[in-house]
Amino acid sequence: MSKGEIIGIDVGGTFTDLVMIDHQGHVRLAKSPTTPENQAYGVLAALEQGAVKLPQADLIVHGTTTTTNAVLERKLCKTGLITTSGFRDVLELGRRTRPQAYGMKGNFRPIIPRDLRLEVIERMDAQGQVVTPLDEAAVVVSAKQLLALGCEAVVIHFLHSYANPAHETLAATIVRDIWPNAFVVAGHELLAESREYERGVTAAVSASVQPLLERYIARLRQELASAGFGGEMLVMNGNGGMVSASEVSKEAAKTVMSGPASGVIAAAATGKASGIVNLITYDMGGTSTDVALIRDATPTVSSEIEVEYALPIHVPMVDVRTVGAGGGSIARVNAAGLLEVGPESAGADPGPICYGRGGEEPTISDANLLLGRFETANMQSISGQATRERVESIFQEKLGNKLGLSAVEAAAAVVRIANAKMAGAIRMVSISLGADPRDFALFAFGGAGPLHASALAKELGTPTVLVPARPGLANALGCVLADLRHDYVRTLNRPFDRLEAGELHSIFMDQITAGEGMLDRESVDIQERRRMHSVDMQYVGQSHILRVPLDTDQPEMREVLKRFRAVYKERFRIELEGIQAKIVNVNTSVIGVRPPLDLSKLIDPAGRMTAVADAQNGQRRVFFDGVWLQAPIYWRDKLPLNFEITGPAVVEQMDTTVLLEPGDVANGDALGNMIIRVGAL
C-alpha cells in the first residue's frame, strides 16, 4: 500500500462520492451534490467535506461521467472526418436498422454531420493490398478545409485499415503536421477491428469527446495542484481498469462507461471477499439504475456498448445495462391517464421534493418518504428539508387526484412501477447472457438500491441480497480497488485452416509488449502483472461471434478449435462438425494488480455495539403491501458484526437506507456486509 492517502472519487448524475483510505487503513467518506456546469467543483466540494489534506495524498482515482453525458446530450466538440472516396455516408447508413423496429418514424443523428465528412482517393482491399494509392495532396486540402469550418478534432477513417493501416498512418502524419492540437484520431490506432461502421463510430465518438475530457482533466489537475496535491491521478476506464490522467484522453471513448464500471469492480471484490462470487449488480442512483453480471468474481466484459440508438462503441467495457429509474426519476400521469415513472430525472438541482431545494415534481425518493421507508434527516448528502405534508400535497395534486388514489396509494404505485422497470433490466442482463437470476445473489448498492432490493429479489426469485458496507459510495470504492488495465484487439477475419500458430503467437506477443509498455509508464504501485488472452471465433457463414478464453499466449491450434467448439455447444446446445471455423479477432488484456485493501474498515469497528438492541434508534410506521406496519429503525454503523435482524425493519446509514420486508432475515459478516435471506420465496 502507498505511504500516503488513496482517494477514490466518482461523479454521478446526482452526487459526487468520495472514499479516502490512509496508510493505516482508516477510512473517510463524503458525498456532495454533483455540479453539472463544472464537475470539478463537485469534486473539490467532496474533498473539502471529507477533510482531505491533499498534500498528504499519494493517489487519486477518478470515475467520471464527462464523456457519457457529452454523448447522451450531444454536447460534443465539432469534429471532422477524412475517409475513403465513396464512403462518407458509412456513419449515417449504419446497420440499416430503425429506432423502432415496427415504427414508420424515427430520427438518427450521425455523430459527425455530412458537411464535415470529406473524401480522399485511396483504397485497400480486405487482404490489406493497395488498390489505389493515397492522394496525399487531397489529405492536406481536406484537413485545411475542416479547420476552416471550425473543427476542433478530426478522424481519419479508411476502408480496411485494420488489415493494413499504412494509408491511415500516412494520412494521420500529414494531418498532425497541419492540425493545431493533438486531437487527431486514426481509427486503427484506437480499434484494429473489421466492420467499418462500428470502427468509424468508435473513432468519431472518441474524437468528439477528446477535447472535452482533456480540458476537464487539465482543469481538475490544476485545481488539485493549487490545493497542494502532488501525487498521481488515474481515471477509470469502462473496462474496469485505470489509466493515467495524462494518457486517458488519447483513447477517450474508453471512458464512456467509467462511472458504472467502478461500481461493478467494487461488487466483484466485495463478493469475492465474502465468498459470494456469482452476483447480479444492481446500482440505483439518483438518475438511473445500472445492472451487470458477475460470474466467479469476474465481471462480464462486452466488446460493444450501444450508449444510444445507432452509436455502438467497440471497445472492451464492463457489460452494464441502464434503465431510466433512479431515486430522482419523475412520476407523472400521461395523456392517456396512465402512471409513468422516468426516464426524466429531477437530478441534483433542484432534486426530489424531499431534498428541500425547491423541487416540485414527485419522484421515487419522495414516494419512499411518504411510505415511511426512509427519512432525509440522517442522510449526509441531503442538506435541505421538506415537510412530509408538502410531499403528500404534491403527490395528491399531481398523481392521486388524476388516478383516483390517495397520496400514499399513488406513492405505492410509483414504487411498484419503478420496481417492474428495474426487474426488466435485471432480466435483460441475466437471461440474455444465459444466466438464471435464481442462481445469483443480488448485489444492491447506489443511494437508493437497498430500499428496493428485497422487492426486486422476490420479483426475480433471487434468494439472497448482498448489501455492502457503503452502498451509496460503492462506485468511489471501486475507483480505489480497481487495477490498471489495457485491452488490445486485432482483427484477422481468417479461416482457421489458413492461420499458422506462429502468427497467432506473434500477435499475442505484440499485444503483450504494448500493454507492458503502458504499465511501465505508470507511477502507481503494482503488486503483480496478469495477462488475459482470448480469440473471437465463428463458423464460416454465421454472424454469431463467440469469445474463446485461452490459458496461454502460445496455444496449440488444435486446442483453440476444441475450446471454440465447447463454447459453441455451451451457448447453442449443438455441435457443428464438418463446418469451417474462422478466427475473427485476437484479444489481450494486460493487468497491473494493485495491493489489496481491508474492506472491514469501511465501517469504523470502534463504533459498533455488542448487542443489536443497542443499535436501535426507535421505530416508525412503514407501508407494506397495502398496510402500515411498525418497523424498528437501526443505525448500521452501531450494529455488531454478527447481527441478525428479522423484517420488517429499516437500517439507516449516512449514504443509504436498507429496507427489510416482512419475512426477510439479515445477517452481518466479518467484512461488515449485510446478507439478506429474502422471505416468502
Side-chain angles (χ1 to χ4, degrees), residues 492 494-501 503-504 507 557 583 586:
L492 288 178
R494 196 178 305 171
F496 194 81
D497 60 359
R498 288 174 49 195
L499 180 65
E500 298 291 334
E503 185 177 357
L504 181 61
I507 294 171
M557 300 305 288
I583 291 184
V586 182

Side-chain angles (χ1 to χ4, degrees), residues 43 62 72 107 150 467 537 637:
V43 171
H62 183 28
L72 293 176
N107 296 316
V467 183
M537 297 183 64
D637 292 34

Side-chain angles (χ1 to χ4, degrees), residues 10-314:
D10 176 71
V11 179
T14 305
F15 292 109
T16 295
D17 302 331
L18 177 144
V19 173
M20 191 277 291
I21 302 175
D22 66 18
H23 66 283
Q24 296 179 327
H26 298 145
V27 177
R28 261 183 254 163
L29 312 167
K31 201 174 185 75
S32 64
T34 292
T35 49
E37 71 281 1
N38 185 347
Q39 292 184 1
Y41 297 150
V43 171
L44 295 171
L47 289 165
E48 182 179 355
Q49 187 186 109
V52 174
K53 298 178 180 177
L54 284 171
Q56 298 178 10
D58 275 354
L59 176 64
I60 292 177
V61 185
H62 183 28
T64 177
T65 56
T66 298
T67 53
T68 313
N69 294 341
V71 173
L72 293 176
E73 298 170 12
R74 292 298 182 100
K75 296 178 179 179
L76 303 167
C77 294
K78 196 171 187 177
T79 302
L81 173 75
I82 300 174
T83 190
T84 306
S85 179
F87 289 86
R88 70 187 293 193
D89 292 324
V90 165
L91 298 189
E92 195 157 349
L93 294 171
R95 296 167 171 170
R96 304 304 296 145
T97 59
R98 291 176 289 179
Q100 300 177 21
Y102 300 99
M104 299 298 292
K105 299 180 182 178
N107 296 316
F108 167 63
R109 289 183 296 157
I111 210 78
I112 300 175
R114 197 170 196 268
D115 64 314
L116 300 180
R117 304 195 301 260
L118 306 182
E119 299 176 350
V120 297
I121 294 174
E122 73 84 36
R123 188 67 179 265
M124 293 279 182
D125 65 17
Q127 286 70 50
Q129 301 299 312
V130 177
V131 177
T132 305
L134 174 66
D135 186 340
E136 298 181 33
V139 174
V140 174
V141 172
S142 296
K144 291 181 177 179
Q145 184 178 342
L146 291 172
L147 279 174
L149 290 169
C151 289
E152 188 174 4
V154 63
V155 176
I156 315 294
H157 176 56
F158 291 157
L159 200 67
H160 302 307
S161 63
Y162 67 90
N164 183 353
H167 283 178
E168 224 172 65
T169 300
L170 177 57
T173 301
I174 294 170
V175 174
R176 284 168 179 149
D177 287 340
I178 300 170
W179 212 252
N181 55 49
F183 308 135
V184 179
V185 175
H188 78 276
E189 295 175 350
L190 183 65
L191 181 67
E193 183 180 318
S194 61
R195 300 184 178 182
E196 307 305 319
Y197 172 64
E198 288 80 357
R199 181 158 46 85
V201 168
T202 302
V205 168
S206 195
S208 299
V209 299
Q210 188 179 19
L212 297 171
L213 183 62
E214 175 85 6
R215 285 194 288 270
Y216 167 66
I217 294 296
R219 187 165 57 242
L220 179 58
R221 293 178 74 183
Q222 184 178 2
E223 294 282 357
L224 293 172
S226 300
F229 178 65
E232 178 71 10
M233 181 175 168
L234 303 177
V235 180
M236 282 291 303
N237 267 343
N239 62 6
M242 302 177 300
V243 65
S244 172
S246 59
E247 301 282 339
V248 68
S249 65
K250 295 178 182 178
E251 297 182 335
K254 293 183 177 181
T255 68
V256 167
M257 296 300 287
S258 169
S262 60
V264 180
I265 295 302
T270 303
K272 184 178 182 180
S274 299
I276 305 175
V277 296
N278 295 320
L279 297 165
I280 295 174
T281 70
Y282 159 59
D283 175 11
M284 184 179 180
T287 307
S288 61
T289 293
D290 299 319
V291 181
L293 193 72
I294 297 174
R295 284 191 176 101
D296 297 324
T298 302
T300 301
V301 176
S302 173
S303 60
E304 175 183 305
I305 295 292
E306 192 164 359
V307 293
E308 68 173 56
Y309 171 72
L311 282 184
I313 301 175
H314 265 230

Side-chain angles (χ1 to χ4, degrees), residues 432-473:
S432 67
L433 295 173
D436 189 334
R438 294 172 296 183
D439 298 331
F440 291 74
L442 191 64
F443 188 93
F445 65 110
L451 271 170
H452 298 257
S454 180
L456 286 180
K458 287 180 182 177
E459 177 77 17
L460 297 162
T462 302
T464 305
V465 175
L466 194 164
V467 183
R470 296 299 180 188
L473 300 165

